[in-house]
Each structure stands twice: as structure tokens, then as C-alpha cells.
Amino acid sequence: GAGVSQSPRYKVTKRGQDVALRCDPISGHVSLYWYRQALGQGPEFLTYFNYEAQQDKSGLPNDRFSAERPEGSISTLTIQRTEQRDSAMYRCASSLSAKRGPTNEKLFFGSGTQLSVL
Amino acid sequence: KQEVTQIPAALSVPEGENLVLNCSFTDSAIYNLQWFRQDPGKGLTSLLLIQSSQREQTSGRLNASLDKSSGRSTLYIAASQPGDSATYLCAVRNLYSGYALNFGKGTSLLVTP
């Protein structure tokens, strides 16, 4: 597609339920990132994929959070047993190359999924 | 841990003014620094990227500078327009932990007609 696509746009769930957030990166982009942004804060890194390999998951806050990208394209971020503190905007970003380590490539962000846990 | 601070948190200016947004970071071992624009309901848009070896980058009415040794960057917006109203985020990519961007909290800019 033309840009990074995320779905759903809004997700309201009850505490204790599991949620799955989807990211469809720009076609051909091999690097994919997940970020979380609380209201009034900057985005906070969660995890990074190089093709299907999850190369950095240091930002995942606890074991209720997991992510996958099984075919190196679409990615899913899953939050199990959601809590109210999980409420935030979840953003996905992609970039073209798979260079190891730091890169000067710009990231392209999706519009995000706004998660509200009641 | 890299800490990124943006000042001011909010800014309101009349149309036509030149303005400066500030970003500071605590660890000077950076690979690059990016300025993003965030509009409500939309994704983040990368405006300018400055590599650690560079001093500044320009795009149209935007100019970003980088002083790595002092841990500072500024985003200069010339002849501001109401369409420039948005939140501007500064993000640093560290030299030794390359995957994550470390973001500031942003500066919310309002340009009034």
C-alpha cells in the first residue's frame, strides 16, 4: 500500500481481555517497529523486526506483550490480560532496509491504534 | 539511558513569525537525530534527519541544527503559517543501541491567523 496501515483504528476492551493489533507496513519494507505513545508523551520503543526475525524486544514492558511477523510482512502485537495502564496509542513504523545496527533511514509511521482498556 | 527534553512544551505565535523549537539530549553518543511532525489522528511524519557528522539540514522553511557535543538541536521555522500547527517531536538514535528512537515529549505549536 501507499503507507503503513494499522487496524483497528480504535479498540475498546474490558480489563482482562486479550487484544491483537495489526500492522501492514509499506510494501517492500523489511524493518518494522512497534512504539507505544501515552497521552502527552513521546512514542516509546517496544520491539523491532528484521524481516520475520524479532531482533530487539527490549522495550516490551512485561510478558503480557508479544509480537510476531511470521512472513516478514504483516505484524501483530498481542496484549494478553489487558490492564488499564495499557491504554495508549500503539504505533507501527517501517523502513526500507535491513541494515544491522543504526541506520540513517527515515521511519514511516502509521496512524496508530488507540487502545482503551475499561 | 538517553533522556530527550523539548522546550517549550507549548507555543502559540501569530502567523508570519519565525520561531525556534529546542531539543536537548543527555548522551552525546548518537547516530542521528530526527524531527517529526505529529498531527491529530495521523501518523508521525519525518521532517528532517541530521546525521551525527552533520551540523544542519534544511527543507523549505525548516532548518534543523545539531550540536552533538553540547547535546542540543534546534528546529527553526521561518515565516510560520497556520498549517504549521502541530506537535513537533525530536528523536535521537543512539550509537550503541541502534534500533530504538528515543523521543522527547514534543512541542505543541499553534500558529494563529
Side-chain angles (χ1 to χ4, degrees), chain A residues 33 35 37 99 103-104 110, chain B residues 31-32 38 43 99 101 105:
Chain A
Y33 305 77
Y35 283 81
Q37 186 174 15
K99 178 188 172 189
T103 171
N104 285 315
Chain B
Y31 198 79
N32 59 44
Q38 179 175 317
Y99 299 120
L101 287 178
K105 293 183 179 181

Side-chain angles (χ1 to χ4, degrees), chain A residues 9 33 35 37 40-45 48 55-56 91 99-112, chain B residues 31-32 34 36 38 41-44 46-51 89 93-101 103-105:
Chain A
R9 182 70 182 89
Y33 305 77
Y35 283 81
Q37 186 174 15
Q41 304 291 316
E44 175 188 26
F45 172 79
Y48 165 73
Q55 295 200 331
D56 187 345
R91 297 191 184 275
K99 178 188 172 189
R100 185 176 179 82
T103 171
N104 285 315
E105 284 193 334
K106 291 183 179 180
L107 265 61
F108 295 84
F109 280 83
S111 298
Chain B
Y31 198 79
N32 59 44
Q34 291 187 66
F36 289 86
Q38 179 175 317
K42 299 182 180 179
L44 279 65
S46 180
L47 298 173
L48 291 165
L49 184 151
I50 310 176
Q51 299 179 34
L89 294 160
R93 189 184 295 274
N94 290 347
L95 188 58
Y96 301 113
S97 55
Y99 299 120
L101 287 178
F103 283 85
K105 293 183 179 181

Side-chain angles (χ1 to χ4, degrees), chain A residues 71-88:
Chain A
E71 298 180 358
S73 178
I74 293 170
S75 176
T76 302
L77 177 70
T78 301
I79 309 173
Q80 296 179 314
R81 305 180 302 281
T82 53
E83 301 177 4
Q84 287 184 330
R85 60 177 173 159
D86 299 334
S87 296

